[in-house]
Amino acid sequence: MSDLFTNEELQTATAEPPAVNAPLADRLRPRALDEVVGQKHLTGPDGAIGRMVAAGRLASMILWGPPGTGKTSIARLLADAVGLRFVAISAVFSGVADLKKIFAEARTAARAGQQTLLFVDEVHRFNRSQQDGFLPYVEDGTVTLVGATTENPSFEINAALLSRCQVLILRRLDHDALEELVRRAEALENRPLPVTSEAREALIASADGDGRFLLNQAETLFSIELEQPLGPAELSELLHRRVPVYDKDREGHYNLISALHKTIRGSDPQAALYYLARMLVAGEEPLYLLRRLTRAAVEDIGMADPNALLQCLAAKEMYDFLGSPEGELGIVQACLYLATAPKSNAAYSAQKSAWRSAQETGSLMPPMHILNAPTKLMKNVGYGKGYAYDHDADEGFSGQDYWPEEMDAQSFYEPTDRGFEARVRERMDYWAQRRKDLQQSDSGAG
């Protein structure tokens, strides 16, 4: 098999500027890490990448984020920043034979004093055995692996490989980052986009955080000659994509979705319906609104009314079944249900507390008595010993301690006294007292 990347090709990939007829997105690729937009939490001086570059030493990493957020650009710039040989492959088009060739070349380069950064696009597409093939080469430093994925690494990357890499999360590009890309495109083309200010905002909102998509749309606009700037309606017709239309007050997409969420949280169904209507009439994507309503159902209502989540999911099914405009009535009903439901963010707060505790306590083992013992050896060393089957206990409640031995019992979830959650609170208070009584009884018996 011939080399996938010769030394000359590698140097060209990192050093030569793009051709003048290259796509706009390629011509606007950042030339340094401080030119990457929207990822300052990683590339800034206090970010993980910024600190590694300052130290001149890279750890293997997984770049996890949506499309068009800069994963490939960051990988190329990392190699340049610390002087590594850059090799790029896609898991879609590569196999074990390709990887063996690359690892052999990397070892040869290492003996000559040149370290290799191996960038693997869509790394999650390698199967488990292929991912295992990376382990010895990452562990001994033959390559510094930079994998890019749009999928959750927890589910798609082997635990062994994941433990040898830092997972760095790239954020969907916000309005400011997308606006900066538009400004750079206009500067490169030496002319403004041929759109009105309202259409400009609509174009940015339509990108949904994807910088590459935005630049491709901008390139289309630069390629045509117009007598006058396009408005939102003309822009939508030209680009064949539904683009939110913004009214004369120029209130943007994010302002309206923020208003909708906060009016639901504030239990104002009239105002919530108004902002929902503003977005739907303007041409907002209904499924986007359904996603935001579902988020509000679990963040701001939660266990105070568990049916709120079901209402949102049912509205999504209705919209999938009927489409617009009939299906939009289901979205209206879900919005009104949320705005009039009792409110609680107890589950949301509990999630944040539990996540923080899990990060702080690492990998503590559960107590032995609640571990399964499928083998004789595990049973002999104490797995499952002393477990009380709750259904056999008085009132179906054993009151056992389920926390790791090195950790005190925590209280993440604190139910409110509103809606269904009031009943949950009574139940939890009863169980807490029962557990306390049973533990005191066991202590006295001992």
Side-chain angles (χ1 to χ4, degrees):
M1 180 184 294
S2 61
D3 291 356
L4 293 177
F5 299 91
T6 65
N7 289 336
E8 182 179 353
E9 287 170 337
L10 291 171
Q11 293 169 3
T12 299
T14 58
E16 289 188 359
V20 293
N21 61 345
L24 179 62
D26 194 44
R27 287 182 283 139
L28 278 177
R29 279 194 184 277
R31 304 297 178 87
L33 283 169
D34 59 6
E35 294 181 9
V36 175
V37 300
Q39 311 301 339
K40 292 299 183 185
H41 64 292
L42 295 178
T43 60
D46 296 326
I49 289 175
R51 290 179 182 276
M52 283 190 277
V53 170
R57 185 176 180 85
L58 298 182
S60 289
M61 65 187 76
I62 303 295
L63 301 178
W64 174 27
T69 52
K71 297 184 289 295
T72 302
S73 293
I74 287 175
R76 290 178 179 274
L77 294 171
L78 279 173
D80 290 343
V82 297
L84 297 185
R85 172 175 172 266
F86 181 77
V87 177
I89 62 171
S90 169
V92 176
F93 302 111
S94 305
V96 172
D98 302 319
L99 291 173
K100 287 181 178 179
K101 187 74 173 179
I102 290 169
F103 293 142
E105 293 173 351
R107 279 190 166 160
T108 300
R111 287 193 289 269
Q114 179 67 65
Q115 297 299 117
T116 298
L117 185 154
L118 173 58
F119 173 64
V120 183
D121 196 18
E122 300 195 74
V123 64
H124 61 277
R125 292 185 179 270
F126 278 133
N127 62 36
R128 299 289 177 176
S129 61
Q130 289 171 320
Q131 290 181 29
D132 285 341
F134 286 91
L135 294 175
Y137 304 100
V138 171
E139 196 160 60
D140 68 10
T142 299
V143 298
T144 297
L145 173 66
V146 178
T149 179
T150 56
E151 305 296 328
N152 190 327
S154 300
F155 304 130
E156 304 295 338
I157 307 298
N158 277 1
L161 182 58
L162 202 58
S163 70
R164 291 162 173 79
C165 300
Q166 291 192 35
V167 176
L168 305 182
I169 302 174
L170 280 76
R171 297 170 180 167
R172 186 173 294 276
L173 300 188
D174 61 16
H175 182 279
D176 290 344
L178 294 170
E179 174 65 39
E180 174 61 22
L181 289 180
V182 173
R183 285 196 293 266
R184 292 181 185 180
E186 290 173 327
L188 184 66
E189 295 289 332
N190 199 30
R191 56 194 172 109
L193 277 174
V195 295
T196 65
S197 58
E198 292 88 350
R200 183 189 183 94
E201 289 297 314
L203 176 68
I204 290 173
S206 75
D208 198 22
D210 186 333
R212 186 186 303 109
F213 173 83
L214 177 64
L215 291 176
N216 289 341
Q217 297 285 66
E219 187 167 27
T220 298
L221 292 170
F222 281 130
S223 69
I224 59 178
E225 295 185 6
L226 300 168
E227 295 182 0
Q228 59 185 12
L230 297 176
E234 295 84 3
L235 180 69
S236 178
E237 182 177 351
L238 172 68
L239 297 180
H240 301 289
R241 180 183 175 99
R242 176 176 281 184
V243 180
V245 179
Y246 289 83
D247 63 18
K248 60 184 181 181
D249 295 328
R250 301 182 184 179
E251 296 178 356
H253 166 87
Y254 294 107
N255 288 338
L256 291 179
I257 196 62
S258 176
L260 175 61
H261 196 149
K262 288 179 173 63
T263 51
I264 288 173
R265 181 183 296 151
S267 299
D268 190 335
Q270 313 299 348
L273 184 56
Y274 167 71
Y275 289 116
L276 178 73
R278 280 275 301 274
M279 300 189 82
L280 283 172
V281 169
E284 183 57 80
E285 174 58 51
L287 289 176
Y288 170 78
L289 290 168
L290 282 164
R291 288 194 294 270
R292 300 315 304 168
L293 291 176
T294 303
R295 168 63 190 235
V298 293
E299 178 180 340
D300 295 304
I301 297 165
M303 292 287 285
D305 187 350
N307 281 325
L309 176 58
L310 300 181
Q311 284 281 331
C312 292
L313 297 178
K316 191 264 183 186
E317 285 193 20
M318 178 185 175
Y319 184 79
D320 285 342
F321 187 50
L322 296 181
S324 292
E326 292 90 347
E328 292 173 6
L329 184 56
I331 304 175
V332 169
Q333 178 172 313
C335 174
L336 293 174
Y337 192 99
L338 300 187
T340 56
K343 302 300 188 293
S344 170
N345 72 339
Y348 179 52
S349 297
Q351 180 207 15
K352 292 191 289 185
S353 298
W355 262 235
R356 184 165 54 250
S357 179
Q359 291 168 347
E360 292 171 352
T361 55
S363 304
L364 298 180
M365 280 283 289
M368 295 287 281
H369 66 272
I370 60 172
L371 300 181
N372 285 335
T375 68
K376 184 176 180 181
L377 173 62
M378 296 170 74
K379 187 174 182 179
N380 289 340
V381 298
Y383 278 55
K385 183 178 180 180
Y387 172 62
Y389 186 59
D390 285 83
H391 295 293
D392 292 338
D394 185 31
E395 298 187 41
F397 182 80
S398 68
Q400 283 196 306
D401 184 357
Y402 301 115
W403 293 90
E405 292 182 6
E406 305 90 339
M407 183 178 178
D408 293 331
Q410 305 292 304
S411 181
F412 304 127
Y413 178 47
E414 297 289 344
T416 68
D417 57 0
R418 296 184 289 276
F420 177 75
E421 208 163 39
R423 293 171 58 189
V424 174
R425 186 180 190 90
E426 291 177 4
R427 203 176 303 153
M428 290 179 63
D429 289 344
Y430 174 74
W431 285 334
Q433 186 60 49
R434 282 274 295 156
R435 181 173 281 109
K436 181 178 179 182
D437 293 343
L438 288 168
Q439 291 175 352
Q440 288 178 344
S441 176
D442 291 343
S443 177

